[in-house]
Structures are given as structure tokens and as C-alpha cells.
């Protein structure tokens, strides 16, 4: 994980610093001098390898990931990113809390009704919703719920419109459209995965043994099949909860959510190099961490699975 992170950060840093860069102009003489001093301190006028050495040294000794030059001049890149975590996390947490129970229940229902018309309907809808990108849902939700029905606002409220906090009812109300846009694909993916795992478990030999011992189908499904089917499903849910920090760049842009994803796009559009690198490190670390936690969680969920045991 650490080696992969180092390689990705190195490649991104070199490619970004190869682009032509000049220090931005300040609004006054004092700010211009402060920008130039910070520019020199980060080594922008030195060779790329020296710049990279300064960059790594600042990270390990000061937890300094550089400075924003365009989005919020002279503001620390890490501070800028962490200030935008709350809306990203909230929208994605609400989306998961909505989609995980529905996805699991639909998957169980489809597995129990395997090869019946209910299963065919659920499977067809799952394939349809899995195949459609989330931004298509976003545009459809805006068109139907905002333009036609006038039920929700077009974009997420600002702090002033939402009651001064991200935890008010007004703010939650404005977040419902992006929550729905993120949930459809998650529900479909989870339904398909649960159905596949539970279908395989229901045809296992121990399920036949449980039925011959006198257990009803519902009892055998809940006590045995569902517990064993959840072994690969729970790690996936854990990984989804870790991935919420990354957010969704496209959905945040469409609904004007002031989160991490929107910040990433702004850093690319405005060529705010240090903010771009901060976001890249953050996204890469979250992705690698989610993968490692998923691998480790298998052993904790099922004691029969232990890495290194014979």
C-alpha cells in the first residue's frame, strides 16, 4: 500500500510540476510579497527533484501539503480540503444508510424467489440501474423533482440558506436529490451481489441437511444461509463506508455540493497545483485503505478465514 501510494504521488507530482507555472499576483503589495516568499519556500524555482524533496520533507516534518494559490490564496491545501469534508461525508453517509438496507432486502427477496417472475423483474431492473451512470440519475432527478414537481431545490443549499449548519433539516432536505442520485447504483450493485451469494448458499449441502432436520425454509435461510452469504458482503459494505470520504466529483458538481469532489475539479480547472496534489494523495490513500480494510475484515467476520494459518 505504501509503495503504491509513493509511486502514484511521485508520478503525479512530476507531471504537475512539469507544467508552466508562475506565482499569482496578490491584491496588494504585502500579499504579493507573502505569495513570493511562500513560493520560494516551497522550491518552485528549483529543479523538480529538489522540489520533490522539499515536498516530502514538508509532509513528514510539518504535515504541510503546500498552499492554495488560486482557490483560496495562501490557505494551506490540507486545511482547505478538510474544511470541505463535512458535506461530502454527509451526502454519502445518508446515501449508504438509505441504499444498504434496501439493496440487501431486494437481494434476499430475489434469491428466495429464484427463477420466478419476481426474480426476473428484480434482476432486469438491477441490470438497468447498474448500467446507467449516476450523472444521468442526477439530471433525471433535477428534471422530475425540481422542474416538473417543484418538490426539491435544484442544488444543495448554502450554509446561510440551510440554517448555518450542515446538520439542519433544511440542509438535509436540499441533499435528498443527490442522495437519491448516488443511491440507485449502490442499491442495484448490492442487490446483484447479495442475490448471487445467497443463491449459491441456498443450494449448499448444509442447507439441505438443515431442512431435513426439520427447520423451515425461512429459519434455515436466516440462521444458516444468510449468515454465510454475508461473509463476502459485509467487507464490501465496510469498503463503501470508507470510500464515502472521497465523495463523487460529478454529483458534487451537478448539485453544487461544496465538498472534496468539487474541490478536486476546481483545482484542475484553475491549475491550483498544491490543492490538486493534496486531493490526489487523499483520494489514493482512501482507495488503498479501503482495499486493505476489506482484505483484513474477512478474517474478523469469519473465524475460519485467517491469513497465514494452515
Amino acid at each position: 500500500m505504501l509503495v503504491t501510494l509513493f509511486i502514484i504521488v511521485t508520478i503525479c507530482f512530476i507531471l504537475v510540476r512539469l507544467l508552466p507555472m508562475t506565482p499569482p499576483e496578490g491584491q496588494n503589495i504585502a500579499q504579493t510579497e507573502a505569495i513570493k516568499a511562500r513560493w520560494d519556500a516551497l522550491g518552485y524555482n528549483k529543479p523538480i527533484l529538489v522540489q520533490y524533496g522539499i515536498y516530502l520533507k514538508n509532509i513528514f516534518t510539518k504535515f504541510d501539503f503546500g498552499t492554495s494559490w488560486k482557490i483560496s490564496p495562501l490557505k494551506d491545501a490540507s486545511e482547505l480540503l478538510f474544511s470541505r469534508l463535512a458535506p461530502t461525508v454527509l451526502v454519502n453517509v445518508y446515501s449508504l444508510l438509505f441504499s444498504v438496507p434496501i439493496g440487501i432486502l431486494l437481494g434476499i427477496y430475489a434469491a428466495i424467489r429464484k427463477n420466478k417472475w419476481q426474480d426476473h423483474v428484480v434482476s432486469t431492473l438491477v441490470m438497468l440501474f447498474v448500467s446507467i451512470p449516476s450523472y444521468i440519475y442526477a439530471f433525471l432527478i433535477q428534471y422530475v423533482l425540481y422542474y416538473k414537481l417543484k418538490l426539491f431545490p435544484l442544488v444543495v443549499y448554502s450554509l446561510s440558506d440551510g440554517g448555518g449548519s450542515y446538520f439542519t433539516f433544511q440542509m438535509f432536505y436540499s441533499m435528498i436529490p443527490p442522495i437519491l442520485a448516488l443511491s440507485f447504483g449502490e442499491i442495484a450493485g448490492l442487490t446483484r451481489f447479495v442475490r448471487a451469494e445467497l443463491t449459491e448458499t441456498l443450494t449448499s449441502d448444509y442447507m439441505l441437511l438443515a431442512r431435513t432436520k426439520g427447520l423451515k425454509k425461512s429459519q434455515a435461510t436466516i440462521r444458516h444461509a444468510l449468515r454465510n452469504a454475508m461473509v463476502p458482503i459485509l467487507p464490501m459494505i465496510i469498503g463503501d463506508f470508507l470510500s464515502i470520504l472521497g465523495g463523487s466529483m460529478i454529483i458534487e458538481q451537478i448539485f453544487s455540493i461544496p465538498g472534496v469532489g468539487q474541490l478536486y475539479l476546481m483545482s484542475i480547472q484553475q491549475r491550483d497545483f498544491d490543492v490538486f496534489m493534496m486531493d490526489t494523495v487523499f483520494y489514493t490513500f482512501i482507495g488503498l485503505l479501503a482495499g486493505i480494510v476489506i482484505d483484513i475484515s474477512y478474517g474478523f467476520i469469519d473465524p475460519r478465514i485467517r491469513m497465514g494459518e494452515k
Side-chain angles (χ1 to χ4, degrees), residues 29-239:
I29 296 176
Q31 189 180 47
T32 300
E33 291 178 352
I35 289 174
K36 187 177 183 305
R38 181 63 172 159
W39 187 272
D40 293 336
L42 293 175
Y44 273 88
N45 297 320
K46 297 179 181 178
I48 290 180
L49 291 180
V50 177
Q51 293 181 36
Y52 190 47
I54 295 173
Y55 182 73
L56 293 179
K57 179 184 176 183
N58 288 340
I59 291 176
F60 289 117
T61 59
K62 307 174 185 176
F63 198 71
D64 181 4
F65 285 86
T67 301
S68 172
W69 305 109
K70 302 288 182 65
I71 300 172
S72 295
L74 291 178
K75 188 173 184 178
D76 287 345
S78 57
E79 183 183 346
L80 184 60
L81 183 139
F82 291 133
S83 67
R84 287 174 169 260
L85 270 181
T88 291
V89 170
L90 275 180
V91 169
N92 285 273
V93 165
Y94 291 147
S95 172
L96 282 176
L97 292 178
F98 175 72
S99 58
V100 168
I102 295 177
I104 291 177
L105 290 175
L106 284 176
I108 293 172
Y109 181 74
I112 293 175
R113 298 288 182 176
K114 182 183 177 184
N115 295 330
K116 297 183 179 180
W117 69 268
Q118 297 96 329
D119 178 33
H120 295 317
V121 170
V122 172
S123 298
T124 302
L125 290 175
V126 162
M127 290 305 298
L128 177 65
F129 282 104
V130 164
S131 305
I132 299 175
S134 60
Y135 62 84
I136 300 295
Y137 299 131
F139 292 136
L140 289 175
I141 287 169
Q142 284 182 331
Y143 178 75
V144 175
L145 298 184
Y146 167 74
Y147 181 71
K148 287 294 186 181
L149 301 179
K150 309 294 184 184
L151 293 177
F152 297 100
L154 179 64
V155 296
V156 172
Y157 287 152
S158 63
L159 277 176
S160 58
D161 294 331
S165 172
Y166 290 113
F167 300 94
T168 61
F169 176 77
Q170 297 97 314
M171 187 64 75
F172 173 75
Y173 173 76
S174 71
M175 287 181 176
I176 290 178
I179 290 169
L180 293 176
L182 288 170
S183 295
F184 289 131
E186 186 70 29
I187 290 172
L190 195 56
T191 299
R192 181 175 62 174
F193 198 64
V194 171
R195 180 199 175 277
E197 292 296 329
L198 190 56
T199 298
E200 182 180 352
T201 306
L202 287 172
T203 57
S204 302
D205 293 336
Y206 66 85
M207 283 297 295
L208 179 60
L209 177 62
R211 293 297 304 279
T212 56
K213 285 185 175 182
L215 287 179
K216 296 179 181 179
K217 185 176 181 181
S218 59
Q219 292 175 323
T221 300
I222 294 172
R223 294 183 188 178
H224 300 288
L226 190 57
R227 286 181 63 184
N228 284 277
M230 292 303 289
V231 171
I233 295 169
L234 284 178
M236 185 181 76
I237 296 173
I238 293 171

